[in-house]
Amino acid sequence: MNTTTDETIVPALSRPELLRQSAYVGGTWLDVGEGPSIIVRNPATGDAIGSVPALDAETVRTAVSHAAHAFQEWRRVPAKQRARVLRAWHDKVIAHIDDLALILTTEQGKTLSEARGEIQYAASFIEWFAEEAKRINGDILPAAADGNRILVLKQPVGVCAAVTPWNFPAAMVTRKVAPALAAGCTVVLKPASATPFTALALAVLGEDAGIPPGVFNIVTGSARQIGDELCQNPLVRKLTFTGSTEVGRELMAKSATTIKKVSMELGGNAPFIVFDDANIPDAVAGAMFSKFRNSGQTCVCTNRILVQASVYDAFCHQFEHAVSKLRVGPGIADGIDQGPLIDAAAVAHLNELVADAEALGATVTVGGKSHSLGGNFFMPTVVRDVAPEMRLFREEAFGPIAPIVRFDTEEEGIALANDTEYGLAGYFFASRMDRVVRVFEALETGMVGINTGAISSEVVPFGGIKASGIGREGSKYGINDYLEIKAGVLAGAF
Ligand code: SIN
């Protein structure tokens, strides 16, 4: 264990070796040593939690070679056995939920209860894909030519590179690694530099569960250097990324040289529409959940609340009351609803968005500035009378700011909702069935919450359209992104 560890967390772990200050390549833990490293800090305090190696491109290439070598064996392991290994991994994750949640809160900032929820969510992908591993079925199709048969075989893509974000350090790892392993692929994972320890702890448990050396590798270090190597390495056959549209675009362009299969879960600008036939208390509860979950730092967080004029005041009053009750503090403390943001840049971005909206005529009714706790804490905020020309309407805030926009007709509400380059999640509250069907069909998003602010689970096909990405994760569709379809045309004697 490296000396930079903030000793407050290690004694609190029932299994201290889950906090690994290492990369994981070919089944070997490459501990942080004399070479370059990255310090990981607790966003609630600024204290160092520890550090991980900043690997060079050659070590990343070595990780890819290990994954390519391991692929030749892993793809041949019977699906039932791959499923057993995944199931054992799931069970170990659940058994260590307290340690994992503590590591997650310490490096990411979310409250301990949200961190426990995320570990359960992360484990649900492992369990789901352990089950799906056994259902990768082929097909036999009738052919156009008499006597022929067409065979359809689904085969693993090969080595997959996975690049994951800091907002869900556990769930975004398992949502990618579990289907890849279930399909028979091997993985080189680059976790976010701000939050590598949860991923490394998951790998410790994966090793315990029997994931063979080289099947799951973790490379730590500079996102640019590692990203370049993973995109340009011809042995990597697929790239899966969750993060900003800007970075996704860059990774896609770099992967074009080696024609990789790509899955991209990118930025969002989720509309949350409250129509005049909505149940207002339910809409308030839905907006509270979808806006303030993870301190507003999810790609599917409500980013703009659009409220029909006749219910505008009623909704705003109830919503503002609920927001003003949120308790802010370190995620580790009792009774806290909202932890810190990830870093100072995130706080500065929110302050800029509020200033821009106020300058253009919007009104802050709750919060609106950095929290008196200082550091990375920001006040839960409501801004009324936001309009399309404001940055708050156009940009993904990725923080606890709820901009409210007024509209008159259903058509106007839908047009405002779709007035964005993004198309990840959308939400609406309404009770008339004709409206529910119309609005569901009209929203230009990959996922829609109808009378709910909670859309995420392992069963839901998660993903976006427009600039929000390509592909679906989780659900019965998620494994397809890790499979190739091979067709065989069998001629002759039938
Ligand atoms: C994300 O923010 O990318 C993931 C959120 C979720 O899975 O609900």
Side-chain angles (χ1 to χ4, degrees), residues 465-487:
I465 60 172
K466 296 161 74 177
S468 290
I470 296 173
R472 293 295 177 268
E473 296 191 311
S475 81
K476 68 173 187 170
Y477 304 101
I479 204 154
N480 294 334
D481 277 31
Y482 297 88
L483 294 167
E484 296 284 13
I485 288 180
K486 180 182 279 180

Side-chain angles (χ1 to χ4, degrees), residues 284 303-323 353-368 380-390 392-393 400-407:
V284 169
N303 206 50
R304 297 165 294 151
I305 302 179
L306 315 173
V307 188
Q308 198 152 14
S310 60
V311 294
Y312 188 84
D313 287 337
F315 175 85
C316 288
H317 284 132
Q318 291 181 39
F319 182 65
E320 285 158 359
H321 179 72
V323 175
L353 293 182
V354 172
D356 172 78
E358 283 189 306
L360 292 172
T363 310
V364 172
T365 51
V366 182
T381 293
V382 181
V383 185
R384 281 203 197 194
D385 299 327
V386 168
E389 62 275 16
M390 298 175 192
L392 261 182
F393 186 96
I401 300 189
I404 308 191
V405 183
R406 187 195 297 260
F407 70 90

Side-chain angles (χ1 to χ4, degrees), residues 121 167-168 172 175 242 265 293 297-300 456 462:
Y121 183 39
N167 61 341
F168 285 87
M172 298 305 101
R175 194 155 78 185
T242 294
E265 199 258 274
R293 174 178 172 228
Q297 301 173 115
T298 88
C299 301
V300 292
S456 304
F462 193 103

Side-chain angles (χ1 to χ4, degrees), residues 122-376:
S124 75
F125 291 112
I126 308 178
E127 181 182 49
W128 176 268
F129 286 108
E131 292 154 359
E132 289 298 288
K134 294 177 278 184
R135 300 189 185 106
I136 302 171
N137 301 321
D139 222 342
I140 300 179
L141 308 176
D146 188 30
N148 285 4
R149 295 290 182 277
I150 297 171
L151 315 179
V152 177
L153 184 63
K154 291 189 184 163
Q155 294 186 305
V157 171
V159 176
C160 300
V163 181
T164 52
W166 51 261
N167 61 341
F168 285 87
M172 298 305 101
V173 170
T174 57
R175 194 155 78 185
K176 295 176 189 313
V177 176
L181 268 48
C185 298
T186 55
V187 175
V188 178
L189 170 78
K190 159 71 179 86
S193 293
T195 57
F197 290 131
T198 307
L200 291 159
L202 288 171
V204 171
L205 297 172
E207 192 177 60
D208 289 355
I211 297 176
V215 168
F216 178 23
N217 306 271
I218 300 187
V219 290
T220 53
S222 143
R224 181 157 298 277
Q225 203 177 356
I226 293 176
D228 283 357
E229 178 56 37
L230 294 176
C231 290
Q232 282 151 20
N233 192 317
L235 292 176
V236 175
R237 296 310 318 139
K238 179 190 166 77
L239 173 72
T240 169
F241 170 70
T242 294
S244 71
T245 296
E246 192 189 349
V247 175
R249 218 174 249 134
E250 233 183 275
L251 293 175
M252 270 179 84
K254 284 179 183 159
S255 297
T257 52
T258 45
I259 314 286
K260 293 189 201 317
K261 198 174 170 93
V262 292
S263 307
M264 297 274 150
E265 199 258 274
L266 307 176
N269 184 0
F272 183 106
I273 318 176
V274 184
F275 288 105
D276 55 10
D277 54 334
N279 175 314
I280 298 299
D282 286 356
V284 169
M288 289 301 293
F289 179 80
S290 74
K291 176 65 259 183
F292 294 102
R293 174 178 172 228
N294 200 17
S295 305
Q297 301 173 115
T298 88
C299 301
V300 292
C301 269
T302 287
N303 206 50
R304 297 165 294 151
I305 302 179
L306 315 173
V307 188
Q308 198 152 14
S310 60
V311 294
Y312 188 84
D313 287 337
F315 175 85
C316 288
H317 284 132
Q318 291 181 39
F319 182 65
E320 285 158 359
H321 179 72
V323 175
S324 66
K325 298 268 175 257
L326 290 175
R327 292 153 301 179
V328 179
I332 205 92
D334 285 339
I336 293 300
D337 302 305
Q338 186 188 289
L341 301 187
I342 191 68
D343 57 24
V347 175
H349 179 230
L350 297 190
N351 276 313
E352 275 177 29
L353 293 182
V354 172
D356 172 78
E358 283 189 306
L360 292 172
T363 310
V364 172
T365 51
V366 182
K369 53 181 192 291
S370 298
H371 197 276
S372 57
L373 286 170
N376 298 333

Side-chain angles (χ1 to χ4, degrees), residues 1-16:
M1 196 74 37
N2 187 273
T3 49
T4 52
T5 305
D6 167 0
E7 291 299 334
T8 53
I9 177 175
V10 171
L13 297 173
S14 65
R15 212 178 138 191

